[in-house]
Amino acid sequence: MRKKIVAGNWKMNLTSVQSEDLVASLSEKLKNFDNEGKRVIVAPTFVNLVPVVTCEDRHAIVEVAAQNMHQAANGAFTGEIAANMLQTIGVPNVILGHSERRAYFGETDTLLAKKVEAALEHNMQVIFCFGEELEDRKSDKHFDVVGSQLKNALFQLPASAWKDIILAYEPVWAIGTGETASPEQAQEMHEFIRRTIAEAYSAEIADEVSILYGGSVKPANAKEIFSKPDVDGGLIGGASLKADDFFAIIDAM
Ligand code: PGA
């Protein structure tokens, strides 16, 4: 049975004290949360990973993810972070392919394929983000774009790797804009994603992979989006920075 997951992408926000405060407040709210079949993940900035991992008030169900990593094992890559550096400080999850990394840092599916492989080689789980831009949807190319993102970044993986992949479909036009895909648009795309994986691999693999929706998820719309059969939770940006809002979204899964 695939898991339901709500992950918070803190992006380039919060100092170390603020990061610890947020994880502590969230943990307090999660005290009586029944997490059977569910996962909660937060993704602080690189420098705030250790403070959050080691925060005494962090509830054990709050897992930690990095927002990015480099594809090489080590070397002359000034300013970059490698998978085993994350793994050895207690960070077993990494977000890869976020649309902001693609748009502002030139990350392509070819590069992301290498990053995914490097993460998996170090026994990390990957939250892989992808999604079409507004023009793609307007010109009715959204299924083609999403299909090729999957194929180019992930379909080189062996079937056995898929147990460590979480997908996050994030239509770029809905990220940070206040505009959400309708629950029907999300369901339609998630169903397409699952079918594409079933065709490339197997129905079992497609059925087991958690597919999160991301893009302006809020306490007010989370329940309806998460109620769709192929939507297994969400990747949350802005609303993950407030413990009350993020907890309300977690509670909606
Ligand atoms: P948002 O961001 O919830 O602020 O739209 C989502 C994301 O970027 O993952």
Side-chain angles (χ1 to χ4, degrees), residues 86-253:
L86 297 170
Q87 189 49 280
T88 52
I89 56 163
V91 177
N93 307 295
V94 62
I95 297 173
L96 292 175
H98 190 278
S99 68
E100 289 149 18
R101 299 293 318 170
R102 294 174 187 259
Y104 307 141
F105 302 96
E107 297 199 0
T108 60
D109 287 320
T110 312
L111 172 70
L112 290 166
K114 293 183 188 147
K115 290 195 177 199
V116 170
E117 276 172 28
L120 297 178
E121 261 169 40
H122 289 89
N123 301 317
M124 297 185 71
Q125 290 215 325
V126 172
I127 302 173
F128 182 78
C129 308
F130 58 107
E132 82 283 0
E133 300 194 23
L134 187 58
E135 300 80 73
D136 302 324
R137 188 163 276 269
K138 280 190 180 154
S139 55
D140 214 25
K141 293 206 183 81
H142 45 303
F143 291 113
D144 289 348
V145 167
V146 162
S148 65
Q149 287 171 326
L150 283 172
K151 179 168 171 277
N152 296 337
L154 298 180
F155 286 0
Q156 84 287 2
L157 294 172
S160 59
W162 277 81
K163 64 180 189 328
D164 293 315
I165 301 286
I166 297 163
L167 298 177
Y169 166 63
E170 301 200 300
V172 178
W173 48 272
I175 295 177
T177 58
E179 187 160 344
T180 345
S182 69
E184 291 69 31
Q185 283 173 320
Q187 169 56 26
E188 184 187 36
M189 185 57 89
H190 284 221
E191 195 186 342
F192 167 79
I193 292 164
R194 221 179 280 290
R195 194 168 60 239
T196 304
I197 297 167
E199 282 162 10
Y201 289 90
S202 68
E204 287 73 30
I205 287 176
D207 205 44
E208 279 301 304
V209 66
S210 299
I211 310 177
L212 317 185
Y213 168 80
S216 299
V217 178
K218 304 268 176 310
N221 60 23
K223 189 123 209 143
E224 212 192 334
I225 297 172
F226 296 170
S227 71
K228 294 294 173 191
D230 287 298
V231 178
D232 305 310
L235 180 57
I236 320 301
S240 71
L241 294 170
K242 291 198 190 106
D244 284 343
D245 286 358
F246 193 48
F247 176 71
I249 293 170
I250 292 167
D251 209 28
M253 80 168 138

